[in-house]
């Protein structure tokens, strides 16, 4: 079944929604563990690990939002 085409306005709205979901999910998914590690170990972990966690959890949030919206 072919995917229906998006109008320009719908594409912009979805882009904004997905970008916000990605940023929030990535920020929470990476920030909370970083805070916990810093509280427990007294030292923050590497920026690369933070970036990987941010990207992975943000992508998961994006995919979930995409499935919820149906687009």
């Amino acid at each position: 079944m072919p995917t229906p085409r998006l109008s320009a306005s719908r594409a912009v709205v979805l882009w904004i929604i997905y970008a916000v979901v990605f940023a929030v999910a990535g920020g929470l998914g990476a920030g909370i563990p970083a805070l916990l590690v810093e509280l427990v170990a007294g030292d923050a972990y590497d920026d690369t690990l933070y970036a990987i966690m941010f990207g992975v959890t943000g992508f998961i949030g994006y995919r979930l939002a995409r499935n919820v919206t149906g687009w």
Side-chain angles (χ1 to χ4, degrees):
M1 182 170 153
T3 306
R5 294 182 56 100
L6 289 174
S7 66
S9 60
R10 173 103 174 148
V12 169
V13 169
L14 288 175
W15 181 82
I16 291 169
I17 291 170
Y18 295 157
V20 168
V21 168
F22 186 95
V24 170
L28 290 174
I32 291 171
L35 179 64
L36 292 175
V37 166
E38 194 169 339
L39 288 173
V40 172
D43 191 23
Y45 51 72
D46 188 67
D47 291 340
T48 304
L49 180 58
Y50 182 88
I52 291 169
M53 290 178 65
F54 184 94
V56 169
T57 54
F59 183 71
I60 291 168
Y62 156 78
R63 292 296 302 219
L64 290 172
R66 190 167 181 255
N67 286 334
V68 168
T69 62
W71 291 89

